[in-house]
């Protein structure tokens, strides 16, 4: 089984060192629309022209019903509302299982994840980390595929 463990700081550092910028939402020091919003990170359709590869799409705050992780993952895997953004998980990649233990959210993705380019996997992982680490108690995200 191939296992990829991703920690938010390591991804941010790797992307910064590779010349990628932080999402526009973070890079410009903007605040979330208000404290009652949740950002789902998406791939920008105009990344080559505007320079922002990843952007936040705002949703209402997730209800504290004990299913916040599942809801956040459903939003992450769903189509973007904006035509300028696309889902971080390309066609052929689905979430097969979600678990949470000791501050680590684990996503088991379909084998389609392994056929993505290294850049596509990095972007998908970055979006997952940025989206899920907003949740209380989530300190890291692990992505597992192919096993």
């Amino acid at each position: 089984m191939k296992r990829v463990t991703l920690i938010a700081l390591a991804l941010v550092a790797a992307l910064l060192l590779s010349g990628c910028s932080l999402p526009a939402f973070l890079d410009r020091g903007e605040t979330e629309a208000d404290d009652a919003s949740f950002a789902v990170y998406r791939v920008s359709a105009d990344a080559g022209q505007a320079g922002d590869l990843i952007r936040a799409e705002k949703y209402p705050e997730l209800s504290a019903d004990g299913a916040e992780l599942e809801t956040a993952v459903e939003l992450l895997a769903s189509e973007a509302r904006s035509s300028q953004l696309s889902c971080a998980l390309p066609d052929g990649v689905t979430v097969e299982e979600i678990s949470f233990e000791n501050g680590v959210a684990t996503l088991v993705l379909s084998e389609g994840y392994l056929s993505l380019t290294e850049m596509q996997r990095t972007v998908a992982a970055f979006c997952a980390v940025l989206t899920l680490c907003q949740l209380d108690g989530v300190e890291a995200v692990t992505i597992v595929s192919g096993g």
Side-chain angles (χ1 to χ4, degrees):
M1 177 188 313
K2 289 192 178 189
R3 206 171 161 95
V4 181
T5 303
L6 306 168
I7 300 173
L9 287 176
L11 270 176
V12 171
L15 287 172
L16 287 174
L17 291 173
S18 70
C20 295
S21 64
L22 286 174
F25 172 76
L26 295 175
D27 194 34
R28 296 190 183 114
E30 298 173 18
T31 59
E32 292 187 23
D34 56 45
D35 288 337
S37 65
F38 182 78
V40 176
Y41 288 86
R42 309 283 193 183
V43 179
S44 175
D46 60 352
Q49 300 160 7
D52 294 324
L53 180 59
I54 297 172
R55 293 194 181 156
E57 184 173 50
K58 300 301 178 128
Y59 288 83
E61 181 178 23
L62 303 182
S63 60
D65 59 4
E68 297 90 346
L69 179 60
E70 290 80 6
T71 301
V73 172
E74 285 176 20
L75 288 172
L76 178 70
S78 69
E79 289 301 316
R81 295 179 297 186
S82 167
S83 62
Q84 299 301 310
L85 302 173
S86 61
C87 179
L89 302 178
D91 289 340
V93 180
T94 58
V95 179
E96 295 182 345
E97 187 179 328
I98 309 162
S99 62
F100 180 74
E101 186 176 337
N102 298 324
V104 179
T106 300
L107 302 179
V108 178
L109 301 181
S110 63
E111 288 192 30
Y113 182 75
L114 298 176
S115 66
L116 300 177
T117 66
E118 192 171 322
M119 182 64 167
Q120 288 174 311
R121 285 193 307 268
T122 300
V123 169
F126 193 44
C127 288
V129 168
L130 286 173
T131 299
L132 301 180
C133 284
Q134 294 172 81
L135 300 172
D136 287 338
V138 177
E139 298 172 13
V141 175
T142 298
I143 295 177
V144 179
S145 182

